[in-house]
Amino acid sequence: MCSSTMVLAVMLMLSCVMAASATPCNFNQDIDINWGGNEHVKIFNGGKLLTLSLDNSSGAGFQSKKDYLFARVDMQLKLVPGNSAGTVTTYYVCLSSQGPAHDEIDFEFLGNVSGQPYTVHTNVYAKGKGNREQQFRLWFDPTSALHTYSIVWNAQRIMFMVDNSPIRVFENNEAMGVPFPNTQRMKVYSSLWNADDWATQGGRVKTDWTKAPFIACYRNFNVNDASSTSTNSVSNQAWQTQQLDTMARKRLRWVQSKYMIYNYCADFKRFPQGLPRECKRSRFL
Ligand SMILES: *[C@@H]1O[C@H](CO)[C@@H](O)[C@H](O)[C@H]1NC(C)=O
Ligand SMILES: *[C@@H]1O[C@H](CO)[C@@H](O)[C@H](O)[C@H]1NC(C)=O
């Protein structure tokens, strides 16, 4: 039986990538679909590959079954290609229940009209306090292949990495009175949704529903947390004290000088009473 659904499924899979590789987490076992149902969240290759799709009836999302207190999370993503204006793909770790002491570490990918660049939006919420946005362009086309986006979250710092290049580091400055997420367990979430009231060019460009479904691909979801066991346990646990070495520092400087398009720490208009405390600490923030 070759239904059109099946043809679509094969096309979805081909539009991600076919190459097999070691897959530590399995989308069939390690995540729950939390939005869009099986219509909008599809899992292929025995749990190695997942697609989210957005159409005019629904967006889509999933979350990890487990929660973590400190972890390194890696995910390969291929973002919505073509005219992705109005769409937002998110990937974040977050407290499973929202409350006043909300913690969250965010990657959001804001779509654009064909040929115009995505914006990578990052933010950190700690104990309910957010407003720490930094935004970036990417140095590659994030819609033509899978790339790895990582969140390293340990007791000393949070690092946002793209293909292993750090793009942002948020140090634990609790000693200076700056909240840091280090008491609450968080899950990994991802979603694809319509945000055309604000996402693209400030909301001026709307989602073109004639181009739906919009599809984002995921592969090689991997979480290392303190309880991870592995034959390779030394390198497996390196994230727990991970910091920038000289090379990584150089790379971060390169990304931030060439690709950063917004930095709350440089937004004097927004903070007329003075920049947030952590901004004074490091020239990289
Ligand atoms: C949603 O899209 C489908 C397929 O393009 C179309 O038939 C339907 O009318 C649309 N519904 C709405 C509410 O726009
Ligand atoms: C989309 O492209 C325009 C023009 O290059 C750019 O100003 C904008 O920042 C891009 N990203 C978004 C999310 O609007």
Side-chain angles (χ1 to χ4, degrees), residues 110-112 116-117 119 137 199-201:
L110 316 186
N112 217 330
Q116 295 303 314
T119 295
R137 297 269 184 255
T200 302
Q201 301 175 31

Side-chain angles (χ1 to χ4, degrees), residues 68-266:
Y68 309 95
L69 182 56
F70 305 124
R72 175 179 171 133
V73 185
D74 300 288
M75 186 92 79
Q76 290 188 314
L77 272 88
K78 183 169 168 286
L79 302 176
V80 174
N83 184 358
S84 59
T87 72
V88 172
T89 306
T90 66
Y91 159 44
Y92 55 104
V93 296
C94 172
L95 204 63
S96 40
S97 62
Q98 302 243 350
H102 186 62
D103 288 342
E104 186 171 320
I105 304 166
D106 274 324
F107 264 116
E108 291 188 359
F109 304 91
L110 316 186
N112 217 330
V113 290
S114 299
Q116 295 303 314
Y118 265 80
T119 295
V120 180
H121 175 97
T122 65
N123 203 358
V124 175
Y125 289 81
K127 319 217 156 105
K129 193 183 169 322
N131 296 329
R132 298 192 171 103
E133 300 87 353
Q134 288 186 352
Q135 294 186 337
F136 303 85
R137 297 269 184 255
L138 291 165
W139 50 95
F140 52 82
D141 174 2
T143 71
S144 65
L146 289 150
H147 289 268
T148 305
Y149 302 87
S150 311
I151 294 171
V152 176
W153 169 41
N154 63 35
Q156 298 89 48
R157 63 190 58 80
I158 294 162
M159 294 194 267
F160 294 81
M161 315 231 282
V162 176
D163 287 337
N164 255 331
S165 286
I167 64 167
R168 172 175 189 177
V169 180
F170 185 84
E171 295 286 345
N172 180 343
N173 279 313
E174 267 193 326
M176 300 167 53
V178 180
F180 188 82
N182 54 6
T183 53
Q184 315 191 79
R185 300 182 72 79
M186 300 204 267
K187 288 188 177 183
V188 181
Y189 291 80
S190 190
S191 64
L192 172 58
W193 53 295
N194 176 38
D196 68 0
D197 52 332
W198 62 271
T200 302
Q201 301 175 31
R204 286 189 300 280
V205 185
K206 301 301 177 192
T207 304
D208 178 0
W209 292 110
T210 66
K211 301 292 189 306
F214 302 98
I215 291 161
C217 301
Y218 295 77
R219 195 181 67 173
N220 281 358
F221 172 40
N222 185 30
V223 183
N224 280 310
D225 75 332
S227 71
S228 296
T229 52
S230 162
T231 46
N232 188 10
S233 61
V234 174
S235 70
N236 205 34
Q237 298 304 326
W239 64 271
Q240 292 198 32
T241 51
Q242 195 167 336
Q243 56 180 323
L244 299 179
D245 59 13
T246 308
M247 279 282 286
R249 208 169 284 281
K250 240 174 130 172
R251 191 73 184 163
L252 178 69
R253 225 171 293 157
W254 174 77
V255 172
Q256 295 206 341
S257 64
K258 285 205 145 64
Y259 296 99
M260 185 187 267
I261 56 171
Y262 177 79
N263 182 2
Y264 76 112
C265 277

